[in-house]
């Protein structure tokens, strides 16, 4: 917390490379061109794996006692919450139970949306404003609501380097 405050929280907005370097020092695996904003909170940098060109906005919370993997070109918007743990409510000791989360390439977790433990968000999937993913999200599909439900398919535009 002290390192975040001293090295990241008050860094100038365009200093993405600096914040990526600090996260790498604390064990994060980040591809090139990741834009992690100063107001993002990452609980365990050593459990964060980002491919290239990932964006994590101000106010986003990555609670990752288990690994969280963010695919290439995915976005976690303002105040979104990736929650990688819960508690065993049937055990009197109430132990924490953590599960990894994976966001596929080109996925978008919109502002104030929540992804629960163990969820897989498919390539190109969108979880809309304040949606809550309690089950896996299918590729190239738009979801919204609590719990998240399918709203429509998302148009997929293959990138120049993708095979047909």
């Amino acid at each position: 917390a002290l390192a975040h405050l001293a090295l990241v929280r008050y860094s100038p907005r365009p200093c993405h490379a600096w914040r990526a370097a600090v996260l790498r020092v604390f064990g994060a695996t980040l591809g090139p061109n990741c834009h992690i904003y100063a107001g993002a909170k990452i609980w365990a940098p050593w459990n964060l794996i980002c491919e290239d060109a990932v964006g994590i906005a101000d106010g986003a919370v990555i609670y990752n006692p288990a690994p969280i993997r963010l695919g290439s070109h995915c976005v976690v918007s303002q105040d979104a919450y990736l929650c990688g743990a819960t508690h065993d409510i049937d055990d009197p000791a109430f132990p924490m139970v953590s599960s990894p989360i994976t966001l596929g390439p080109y996925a978008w977790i919109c502002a104030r949306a929540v992804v629960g433990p163990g969820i897989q968000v498919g390539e190109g999937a969108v979880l809309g404003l304040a949606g809550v993913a309690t089950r896996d999200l299918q590729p190239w599909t738009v979801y919204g609501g609590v719990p998240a439900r399918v709203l429509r398919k998302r148009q997929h535009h293959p990138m120049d380097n993708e095979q047909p």
Side-chain angles (χ1 to χ4, degrees), residues 54-89:
V54 167
I56 302 175
D58 282 322
V61 175
I62 310 295
Y63 179 59
N64 56 340
I68 290 184
R69 176 180 292 275
L70 306 179
S72 173
H73 295 84
C74 76
V75 175
V76 179
S77 287
Q78 296 82 353
D79 299 317
Y81 184 41
L82 304 185
C83 182
T86 186
H87 292 272
D88 183 348
I89 61 172

Side-chain angles (χ1 to χ4, degrees), residues 117-135:
I119 301 298
Q120 303 249 347
V121 176
E123 178 179 358
V126 175
L127 179 59
L129 175 70
V132 177
T134 58
R135 296 197 171 130

